[in-house]
Amino acid sequence: MIQYMLLFSRQGKLRLQKWYNPIAMKDKRRTTRELITLILSRKPKMCSFLEYRDQKIVYKRYASLFFCVAIDSGDNELLTLEIIHRFVELLDKYFGSVCELDIIFNFEKAYFVLDELLIAGEVQETSKKSVLKAIAAQDMLQDETEAKTGLDEMADKKKLGLAGGLP
């Protein structure tokens, strides 16, 4: 089972984190800091698997982002690499060649993609088509809600005499 997932830049800036078990904030910060330091200090040709406390850490670098996943000690590392790759493929399809700025400015979309792929640290959906379909439906619903909210605000302003020309 996946314990948590971290995305961070080559500069060590945390861009996304998802914890699947309750952990104290202090411990989260310490774990995040230690893992970022440990992974960034490793050479590119080194193995992408680490032992950290009682967990296995699996990480992969894509462009300027590191995708880091902690799993139970008995879980399969190669399967975890495939999950990371599937997540990156989904982000690529959604954003069209994902980059760090996409994660920074659209973090809620990145979390939604992750939540469609994984629930409670387990793979929920393996089909890219199904995940992208669910995301498209969510985007459409959000657009409709924003449009309705915008119309409601305009109607409220009109009632107050704030919309349109001079009084």
Side-chain angles (χ1 to χ4, degrees):
M1 182 177 123
I2 294 175
Q3 303 297 318
Y4 51 88
M5 179 181 276
L6 306 173
L7 267 70
F8 54 91
S9 68
R10 287 185 300 175
Q11 292 78 28
K13 300 268 188 195
L14 187 63
R15 299 300 182 200
L16 184 134
Q17 61 179 329
K18 184 73 172 190
W19 300 80
Y20 294 104
N21 290 326
I23 299 172
M25 187 60 78
K26 184 179 177 183
D27 292 334
K28 285 181 185 180
R29 281 193 212 106
R30 183 171 39 88
T31 299
T32 302
R33 185 180 60 249
E34 288 174 2
L35 282 175
I36 289 173
T37 304
L38 185 64
I39 291 170
L40 290 177
S41 67
R42 293 173 62 88
K43 301 213 181 309
K45 297 285 183 188
M46 294 179 86
C47 180
S48 294
F49 310 139
L50 299 168
E51 297 228 353
Y52 178 77
R53 298 185 187 159
D54 59 340
Q55 303 166 336
K56 289 181 190 173
I57 304 298
V58 180
Y59 70 93
K60 181 87 171 123
R61 179 179 166 197
Y62 288 92
S64 64
L65 286 174
F66 284 89
F67 292 74
C68 173
V69 176
I71 56 174
D72 294 331
S73 59
D75 287 349
N76 187 336
E77 300 94 342
L78 296 176
L79 182 62
T80 306
L81 272 177
E82 284 298 314
I83 292 169
I84 291 171
H85 188 69
R86 179 55 51 104
F87 181 48
V88 172
E89 286 178 328
L90 288 166
L91 290 173
D92 266 345
K93 287 269 192 202
Y94 182 74
F95 290 112
S97 187
V98 69
C99 68
E100 188 176 349
L101 290 175
D102 292 323
I103 303 295
I104 293 169
F105 292 115
N106 299 299
F107 64 91
E108 70 282 348
K109 300 292 185 190
Y111 276 113
F112 187 70
V113 171
L114 183 59
D115 289 341
E116 284 297 315
L117 178 66
L118 300 171
I119 284 188
E122 299 287 342
V123 176
Q124 171 188 321
E125 182 60 66
T126 57
S127 168
K128 283 189 275 188
K129 278 185 180 179
S130 296
V131 171
L132 292 170
K133 203 175 190 180
I135 294 166
Q138 179 67 21
D139 283 346
M140 194 165 51
L141 182 63
Q142 185 177 1
D143 290 344
E144 289 173 5
T145 304
E146 287 173 357
K148 185 177 184 295
T149 304
L151 289 174
D152 290 345
E153 287 175 1
M154 282 180 56
D156 290 344
K157 286 181 181 178
K158 195 169 188 177
K159 285 179 188 174
L160 296 173
L162 299 174
L166 298 170

